[in-house]
Amino acid sequence: MSNEHSNAIRSLTPELEKRIQRNPLLHIDTFIIPSPYIRDSSIEKDYSHSYVWIEEGEILGYILVYSDKANLNFNIYKLVTSPFGRGRGIGTLFIEHLAQNIPENATVYLYIWEKQTDTLEFFQNKGFNLGETTVYRNLVYYHLYAGSQEIGFGKNAYEGNPQLLNEEIGKTRHDARKTIRLLSSMVDMLTIENCGKIIEDINRETTTLINILNAFRDTMSSIHEVNLKDLLLERIVPYIEASSVRCRLNIALDSASPIVLGYYVNFGRALVNIVSNALEAIAETDGKGLIEIEMVDDDDEALVLTITDNGIGMSGDMLEKNEHGYPAFVGNTTKNRQEGEGLGSIQIYSTFGPENIRVESEPGKGSVWTLRFQKPIKGIDKWYVKLERRFNEFKKLTESSRIGHETSRTEVITYIWQLRKMEIFLFDLILQFSKYHNIRSIYRIVLSFFMGRINEQNLRSEFDNFRCDNEQLKHMFLDITLEIKQRLDHLNERVDIDKFKGALFKSYGQALENVMIFTIDPESGSFLVTDRKLAEHLDFAAYLGKQKEQLVRGEFIGDMNNHNQPIFLGVWSIVSDEDLRDKLKMMQRAARRLLGMGVHRDKKLSFYQTTYVQHSADIDSDITTTFGEFTKLSEQELWRFTCETTDEDMLGFMLYQD
């Protein structure tokens, strides 16, 4: 860890904890977390192993840890990052810092809701193992744990290391190109006389290429689709048939969809380990061997694979499980009269997880392995996994918080930031309908509903005509739209909106990857904001009750407290010197409004080129200033932000007019 990061991390103190409680940006995540005492009622809050991340006096994140008196078990109860600290690896650095400052034989554990698949992947990539599940408030949680020495050595060793990642990509490309060149040469050599041998060689090299690419995919990502049927037929069946052990194979693959989520290469190795142990167990018997493989659908979300052999079997004591769900034979050889480390069984359990494995065995009668695999939702991809997790956060876990006249300012601001999280999620949802619809038309319908121009019945009528490839997205879309409208109405009814315009505006900065546009009334400070892909500035004018020439349009991206990322301001048209002077003064009033909303005086301010160029002078879009400087200028000093227009600018206007 660099000195810069070490200086940012400080141990939690009661005083810092009070600051965290007063900071609404550290309370907008709404996941219900099981009680820290769910596993051990004797653990206590551990200030020395809980940390905060402070930059320039601002708390950007914290990790809250509980530990037992022996300092051997540490529970990560909360790991929170401010919206403006995300994407910087703060969570990873917290975990690594914790691992470096606890005893070598200590264990770190936490609980994660089963629907948080991307969060689950994050911790597994940090070296955490998957344990048993628990139910809390009718929700299922995974128990994850790791030894202090395991943390940081997860499945994805390339995360946060672009140089290592680029090297791996380069190696994969090199190996793949070599195989492709060889395949091309084989095709050129193909004749009637040698076709049998060449085809066999091409099949072999094609398999090599597929394995190279599958290995690369497994290295880069822990969630992707694996065709289990193909894996069994291409790797497991040939392995059994090539064995020297006398064995009959019965296989029944009765599944409507053999696609599961996981690692292709790791799945293949683990299944080979299972059948290899089965063949060795059969070899120790006197009779002819039998291996049966059956694959069936358990339900819409899972697939069950059963591997049965009639080998020598295992005794009951070898099947007894420890507190983590691992049978005694894991890590120990099951071969008669031999000593070993049982590495094959370790690999099997680390690949599938103990909660997805059931082993039944009896001496002299063989063994049965039952494996449960997670199926992907139809058309699953990482974007859908994240959308589903975010949707579940809002619909299943958001507490039905309500605000009133007596609610504290911190709680109201938290409510506003949560509302904006929902709205930003809705923006991302609308983009998923772009295949069949003009997304700007969809947003106009949503905006009309939010602004009270159409009612719920009208919205549902329009909604019935929407099309997309995943019906679940339609349900998410309608549910979250209705929830946002309900919360907007509740907010407007219970608080004085004018007192919270700063939070209402700055909270859009959570959309760190979205370019946000806004239109603002410089007189009243009223504004509307959305993702630039969904609307034009002019779409907001009708709802602000002014003509566009009386409004200022703007744009920003990300954290308002990042002074180097400018906010842009501009106007629609300029027709004369007098009009230019009036528009500059109007933008200055808009900038003052934004300062009143909490934008820092050192925040950079840039300018749009005017939309309709009708005059010989325009606002200079090449000049950048700060809000503090721009708002102090006299009327005469504002003139330095102008420039002469060009013939091309005027031509652009004329073409637009035509």
Side-chain angles (χ1 to χ4, degrees):
M1 185 181 300
S2 68
N3 289 333
E4 177 187 356
H5 293 148
S6 297
N7 293 335
I9 296 178
R10 303 181 192 176
S11 294
L12 180 68
T13 64
E15 291 72 25
L16 287 172
E17 192 171 25
K18 290 177 182 177
R19 284 181 58 187
I20 289 170
Q21 292 168 355
R22 293 193 298 267
N23 188 334
L25 303 189
L26 299 175
H27 297 281
I28 59 176
D29 291 316
T30 53
F31 291 118
I32 294 174
I33 305 171
S35 162
Y37 308 107
I38 195 169
R39 191 172 187 83
D40 183 355
S41 61
S42 66
I43 62 173
E44 298 178 351
K45 188 181 296 183
D46 187 339
Y47 284 101
S48 62
H49 292 103
S50 299
Y51 309 108
V52 294
W53 186 286
I54 301 179
E55 285 186 24
E56 298 179 359
E58 182 181 3
I59 298 178
L60 294 183
Y62 72 96
I63 180 172
L64 181 59
V65 174
Y66 285 69
S67 65
D68 59 11
K69 292 182 179 179
N71 265 4
L72 291 177
N73 293 288
F74 294 83
N75 170 232
I76 298 177
Y77 182 50
K78 290 184 179 180
L79 180 58
V80 179
T81 305
S82 163
F84 300 141
R86 287 171 188 163
R88 300 170 56 182
I90 291 176
T92 297
L93 292 167
F94 271 145
I95 296 168
E96 292 177 351
H97 191 72
L98 174 64
Q100 293 167 8
N101 288 277
I102 60 176
E104 291 185 1
N105 59 340
T107 299
V108 180
Y109 69 94
L110 72 156
Y111 286 89
I112 294 178
W113 183 41
E114 63 173 348
K115 298 293 185 181
Q116 293 175 259
T117 50
D118 51 345
T119 307
L120 185 67
E121 179 183 351
F122 168 82
F123 279 98
Q124 287 182 302
N125 286 339
K126 299 295 174 287
F128 282 76
N129 304 292
L130 202 59
E132 81 287 358
T133 58
T134 189
V135 177
Y136 180 77
R137 295 189 186 178
N138 296 322
L139 298 174
V140 177
Y141 289 84
Y142 288 115
H143 170 236
L144 283 94
Y145 62 94
S148 62
Q149 303 302 305
E150 296 177 284
I151 293 174
F153 297 94
K155 296 172 181 175
N156 190 351
Y158 304 93
E159 184 175 348
N161 193 333
Q163 181 178 355
L164 197 60
L165 174 61
N166 289 334
E167 288 178 2
E168 187 64 27
I169 292 173
K171 291 177 185 176
T172 302
R173 287 173 176 164
H174 174 73
D175 292 343
R177 287 193 188 107
K178 283 200 305 184
T179 304
I180 291 170
R181 284 196 294 269
L182 181 57
L183 286 168
S184 178
S185 299
M186 289 178 178
V187 171
D188 292 340
M189 293 165 54
L190 186 63
T191 66
I192 296 176
E193 292 77 16
N194 67 6
C195 66
K197 181 180 184 304
I198 292 294
I199 291 172
E200 183 179 333
D201 291 343
I202 288 175
N203 282 335
R204 184 187 66 250
E205 293 305 321
T206 301
T207 301
T208 299
L209 177 61
I210 291 171
N211 286 338
I212 289 171
L213 298 177
N214 277 327
F216 174 74
R217 180 182 62 178
D218 279 355
T219 303
M220 295 301 111
S221 172
S222 65
I223 292 184
H224 55 77
E225 296 181 356
V226 176
N227 189 316
L228 193 57
K229 179 179 178 180
D230 289 349
L231 179 57
L232 290 167
L233 295 178
E234 292 171 4
R235 292 211 61 193
I236 307 307
V237 172
Y239 183 87
I240 296 173
E241 290 177 342
S243 171
S244 59
V245 177
R246 294 175 61 248
C247 177
R248 187 173 83 250
L249 172 64
N250 292 340
I251 186 166
L253 307 179
D254 184 17
S255 171
S257 174
I259 307 298
V260 297
L261 291 177
Y263 285 79
Y264 180 91
V265 173
N266 283 4
F267 277 12
R269 290 170 180 161
L271 292 173
V272 164
N273 276 325
I274 291 175
V275 297
S276 173
N277 289 339
L279 289 168
E280 290 174 353
I282 289 170
E284 296 187 28
T285 66
D286 296 328
K288 185 176 181 180
L290 172 65
I291 292 180
E292 296 179 311
I293 299 176
E294 182 182 19
M295 184 173 70
V296 296
D297 293 317
D298 183 27
D299 50 43
D300 291 338
E301 298 181 355
L303 182 147
V304 174
L305 179 68
T306 305
I307 301 175
T308 306
D309 69 71
N310 64 344
I312 195 170
M314 290 182 283
S315 60
D317 60 326
M318 295 294 287
L319 301 176
E320 291 183 3
K321 297 181 179 180
N322 63 17
E323 67 274 17
H324 299 304
Y326 289 89
F329 68 80
V330 176
N332 296 291
T333 182
T334 57
K335 303 175 181 65
N336 286 351
R337 298 177 305 280
Q338 296 183 36
E339 294 182 359
E341 298 177 350
L343 296 179
S345 59
I346 293 175
Q347 195 270 334
I348 294 168
Y349 273 79
S350 65
T351 297
F352 300 129
E355 74 284 355
N356 295 314
I357 302 174
R358 186 175 75 250
V359 181
E360 302 167 277
S361 188
E362 190 175 340
K365 295 187 177 181
S367 302
V368 180
W369 287 73
T370 302
L371 310 174
R372 195 172 190 272
F373 296 86
Q374 179 189 354
K375 279 186 180 181
I377 299 169
K378 187 177 180 181
I380 196 167
D381 207 340
K382 284 208 169 185
W383 64 266
Y384 183 85
V385 171
K386 292 181 179 179
L387 284 177
E388 184 188 38
R389 190 267 296 163
R390 289 165 67 191
F391 174 75
N392 282 313
E393 173 188 355
F394 300 134
K395 295 303 296 179
K396 302 295 185 185
L397 298 183
T398 302
E399 297 180 1
S400 56
S401 57
R402 288 292 179 261
I403 55 178
H405 301 293
E406 304 302 321
T407 304
S408 70
R409 182 174 179 83
T410 297
E411 290 177 291
V412 174
I413 293 175
T414 300
Y415 185 92
I416 289 170
W417 280 72
Q418 289 177 342
L419 174 60
R420 289 294 185 245
K421 283 187 70 176
M422 292 184 183
E423 200 171 334
I424 294 164
F425 171 68
L426 178 63
F427 297 162
D428 292 340
L429 268 183
I430 292 175
L431 296 179
Q432 309 307 322
F433 290 80
S434 61
K435 181 177 179 180
Y436 299 104
H437 300 278
N438 183 325
I439 54 177
R440 292 190 172 182
S441 297
I442 293 179
Y443 179 72
R444 289 190 187 105
I445 294 169
V446 171
L447 181 61
S448 296
F449 177 62
F450 288 161
M451 303 303 293
R453 300 291 178 89
I454 65 174
N455 58 27
E456 183 178 334
Q457 183 178 354
N458 300 139
L459 176 72
R460 289 182 180 272
S461 177
E462 296 283 357
F463 170 79
D464 289 339
N465 297 321
F466 293 168
R467 293 177 57 203
C468 65
D469 291 328
N470 191 322
E471 283 296 310
Q472 183 61 25
L473 290 177
K474 291 183 66 174
H475 299 303
M476 289 185 189
F477 179 88
L478 182 61
D479 283 354
I480 209 68
T481 301
L482 295 175
E483 180 71 21
I484 291 171
K485 172 62 172 172
Q486 181 183 4
R487 286 172 172 263
L488 281 170
D489 291 344
H490 181 70
L491 185 66
N492 285 304
E493 291 168 2
R494 298 303 179 94
V495 302
D496 182 353
I497 292 297
D498 286 338
K499 295 180 179 179
F500 293 94
K501 280 185 177 176
L504 288 165
F505 184 76
K506 294 180 71 175
S507 55
Y508 280 108
Q510 293 177 88
L512 297 177
E513 298 177 359
N514 304 52
V515 177
M516 308 301 290
I517 63 167
F518 64 93
T519 303
I520 185 170
D521 180 351
E523 306 305 326
S524 67
S526 298
F527 61 86
L528 288 169
V529 185
T530 192
D531 187 302
R532 188 172 67 180
K533 295 184 287 294
L534 301 179
E536 298 286 352
H537 295 90
L538 191 58
D539 293 334
F540 293 136
Y543 298 106
L544 293 172
K546 295 282 186 73
Q547 297 297 316
K548 69 177 186 294
E549 299 304 330
Q550 299 172 291
L551 302 170
V552 172
R553 60 196 183 100
E555 177 180 300
F556 63 88
I557 182 170
D559 184 1
M560 294 290 177
N561 295 337
N562 182 347
H563 298 159
N564 292 322
Q565 287 186 320
I567 294 177
F568 288 80
L569 295 179
V571 294
W572 274 272
S573 66
I574 293 172
V575 297
S576 65
D577 278 352
E578 182 181 2
D579 188 37
L580 176 55
R581 184 177 293 107
D582 289 342
K583 295 295 172 60
L584 283 167
K585 289 162 64 177
M586 189 171 70
M587 287 197 299
Q588 189 181 54
R589 291 195 297 274
R592 288 170 179 160
R593 285 287 182 184
L594 292 174
L595 279 180
M597 294 178 190
V599 172
H600 293 178
R601 303 186 69 84
D602 292 332
K603 180 79 168 176
K604 284 188 177 179
L605 172 61
S606 297
F607 303 94
Y608 287 128
Q609 186 176 22
T610 302
T611 307
Y612 313 131
V613 181
Q614 305 173 61
H615 184 53
S616 58
D618 189 15
I619 296 166
D620 192 345
S621 59
D622 293 329
I623 293 180
T624 297
T625 181
T626 65
F627 274 80
E629 179 187 14
F630 187 72
T631 53
K632 287 181 178 179
L633 296 177
S634 66
E635 182 177 320
Q636 187 60 36
E637 289 174 320
L638 287 175
W639 205 252
R640 70 181 176 88
F641 290 93
T642 66
C643 65
E644 293 183 1
T645 56
T646 65
D647 292 340
E648 288 80 5
D649 294 332
M650 293 297 293
L651 178 61
F653 168 69
M654 296 304 293
L655 289 173
Y656 183 87
Q657 289 295 90
D658 289 344

